[in-house]
Amino acid sequence: MATIDVKKTGLTDDQADIIRQTLPVVGANIGDITPNFYRRMFTAHPELLANTFNRGNQKQGAQQKALAASVATFAATLVDPDAPAPEELLARIGHKHLATGIVEEQYPIVHKHLFDAIEEVLTPEVFQGAVRDAWDAVYLEMQRVLVDFEKQLYDESGVAPGDVFRAAEVVSREDLSDDIVVFGVRGKAEELPGFTPGQYISVRQTMADGAGQLRQYSLVGVPGDGVLKFAVRRVGADEVAGLPAGEVSNKLCDDVRVGDEIEISLPAGDLVLDTESDGPVVLVSAGIGATPMVGMLNYLAANGSQRRVLSVHADRSEAADVLAAERTAAVEALANGTEKRWLEPDFMDLSDKGGVELPEGAEFYICGGNGFLQHVRDQLAERGVDRSRIHFELFSPNDWLLDA
């Protein structure tokens, strides 16, 4: 099992003092630093925008902040002796890097352009000499931790760093609605690897301009039969919010049929079911966030689990909840499974007043948007659920910043 190893002794006392003093100004300027950073990096390395970063996410300003803000978040925990190591943040980044084939040689590229951007925004008078050296030490410690963790993940997968994409043939396509399609794929040249319930894969599609764009999708099938199943939601453009249509998702829904070949990554992801436990489980989701929960439910049902399982889900409407039948079938196949659903205008209520009995000692797995997750976590905290028993996955690239 890959482990996170953060050394808080990596900074000198003087460097730690500098980070504490400058962290507020760096954090306050993330909104200006981020576009400067990406502009610099993509000008110097256009191949990263074409083949590694999701272009749709780059057009969404709030989501662009993820990388720079994660460095600032890491710095804050590094200089606070009472703060626990940000293991969830780092594990989530590491797994995303595994699913996109990030390698050690790419870290210096990010380092240079991010820090050049910080220096330009804060001015050289502020961000040079001892100040930049202190922040260099933060970044290099974060790089060391992530590279070591990712090498462990690659070793566990039995592949060389970066060698994560495989040719796969589409063996099934099920259109659940106009917006949701479930694909099943099998390896072309070799059997696809197994996975742990809750994990996801990256799918790479070649766009009209030749760019190889990536998007992650949760696995909804049962491990062990050589077929990986994942659900894709069509994403339309939102002109009011200035959000682009989903390139990869829409191409899959529009163009990919049974018999076609696609590229997928090895499974990755840290929101995974503890398959060794026999303790109770609560699966909490909203909208398309049901996909990893369906994967967990299908696994539990297929293995005749005796665990107490509670599935709770919120959605826009009956029609929008296209995975309801599969979710219910899995719950009904469980010896101790129950479920509850909320449809708008009602919202999920797990508070004391909501009438939902939460199994004592349960592990909670949550997937949905930021607002939904924060709403659910607040309710669980009010009911005395310890934070260590709450595990989550989100939709946006900056999902790891929720605890910042």
Side-chain angles (χ1 to χ4, degrees):
M1 175 75 75
T3 57
I4 300 288
D5 176 29
V6 177
K7 291 183 172 59
K8 289 203 173 188
T9 56
L11 304 182
T12 67
D13 290 343
D14 287 345
Q15 287 174 334
D17 286 339
I18 289 172
I19 296 302
R20 293 187 192 98
Q21 293 167 16
T22 56
L23 187 58
V25 70
V26 171
N29 285 277
I30 288 292
D32 294 325
I33 292 168
T34 296
N36 188 313
F37 155 59
Y38 282 113
R39 183 175 63 251
R40 288 171 173 274
M41 185 170 68
F42 293 148
T43 297
H45 297 275
E47 74 281 1
L48 292 178
L49 179 59
N51 301 315
T52 301
F53 285 79
N54 184 289
R55 297 188 296 200
N57 290 337
Q58 289 305 307
K59 294 177 181 178
Q60 302 178 44
Q63 295 185 352
Q64 270 197 348
K65 298 177 184 178
L67 193 152
S70 67
V71 175
T73 300
F74 180 77
T77 61
L78 203 59
V79 299
D80 182 353
D82 297 323
E87 293 185 357
E88 286 186 346
L89 178 153
L90 296 165
R92 195 159 291 120
I93 295 173
H95 277 276
K96 190 63 66 71
H97 285 178
L98 171 69
T100 53
I102 296 296
V103 293
E104 182 175 1
E105 291 74 18
Q106 291 170 311
Y107 277 87
I109 296 173
V110 172
H111 185 186
K112 170 180 169 48
H113 295 293
L114 174 59
F115 280 53
D116 284 353
I118 297 174
E119 182 174 311
E120 181 176 337
V121 171
L122 300 188
T123 75
E125 289 73 23
V126 172
F127 199 74
Q128 273 191 353
V131 173
R132 181 153 180 164
D133 289 345
W135 279 94
D136 279 342
V138 169
Y139 184 91
L140 292 174
E141 173 61 10
M142 186 172 178
Q143 173 181 312
R144 182 196 66 78
V145 173
L146 285 171
V147 167
D148 179 67
F149 179 65
E150 289 156 20
K151 283 181 177 178
Q152 294 177 64
L153 293 178
Y154 285 126
D155 286 345
E156 289 175 0
S157 299
V159 300
D163 181 25
V164 298
F165 286 96
R166 301 291 182 268
E169 180 183 358
V170 177
V171 295
S172 65
R173 172 184 170 130
E174 183 180 6
D175 290 64
L176 300 183
S177 70
D178 291 339
D179 296 329
I180 307 286
V181 180
V182 176
F183 293 95
V185 298
R186 188 184 294 277
K188 284 280 289 184
E190 57 187 302
E191 185 172 334
L192 296 176
F195 63 97
T196 305
Q199 288 191 305
Y200 54 80
I201 56 171
S202 290
V203 177
R204 180 155 60 194
Q205 287 281 282
T206 301
M207 301 297 133
D209 63 356
Q213 284 288 283
L214 302 175
R215 183 73 163 79
Q216 285 77 48
Y217 302 101
S218 294
L219 295 165
V220 299
V222 177
D225 63 358
V227 174
L228 301 183
K229 293 179 65 178
F230 58 95
V232 178
R233 181 180 65 177
R234 188 187 304 277
V235 180
D238 186 336
E239 295 181 1
V240 175
L243 303 180
E247 283 193 282
V248 178
S249 295
N250 292 359
K251 185 172 176 59
L252 286 168
C253 292
D254 291 342
D255 299 342
V256 175
R257 299 289 183 271
V258 172
D260 289 345
E261 182 177 315
I262 64 173
E263 262 191 307
I264 69 168
S265 76
L266 302 179
D270 61 321
L271 180 80
V272 295
L273 182 70
D274 183 356
T275 57
E276 300 299 318
S277 172
D278 58 3
V281 177
V282 179
L283 306 177
V284 186
S285 56
I288 197 63
T291 51
M293 306 309 164
V294 167
M296 294 182 192
L297 284 169
N298 283 336
Y299 172 86
L300 291 165
N303 285 275
S305 176
Q306 299 296 304
R307 300 169 73 171
R308 185 176 177 189
V309 179
L310 170 62
S311 168
V312 292
H313 180 73
D315 223 310
R316 300 191 311 275
S317 65
E318 184 84 43
D321 188 12
V322 295
L323 293 171
E326 187 168 359
R327 218 170 43 242
T328 297
V331 170
E332 291 180 345
L334 291 166
N336 298 292
T338 56
E339 67 174 336
K340 184 174 176 58
R341 182 178 68 170
W342 291 260
L343 299 177
E344 292 183 3
D346 296 326
F347 293 96
M348 183 177 291
D349 187 356
L350 298 181
S351 69
D352 288 322
K353 299 177 182 179
V356 178
E357 181 184 352
L358 302 180
E360 186 173 351
E363 296 293 318
F364 292 77
Y365 297 86
I366 311 173
C367 187
N370 291 19
F372 170 77
L373 185 134
Q374 290 167 332
H375 168 72
V376 169
R377 287 200 332 188
D378 287 345
Q379 292 185 338
L380 295 180
E382 290 173 2
R383 295 191 65 170
V385 177
D386 190 87
R387 174 65 184 84
S388 65
R389 293 195 281 116
I390 300 174
H391 318 283
F392 60 91
E393 182 69 272
L394 296 155
F395 302 143
S396 60
N398 58 335
D399 54 13
W400 50 74
L401 301 177
L402 271 184
D403 287 325

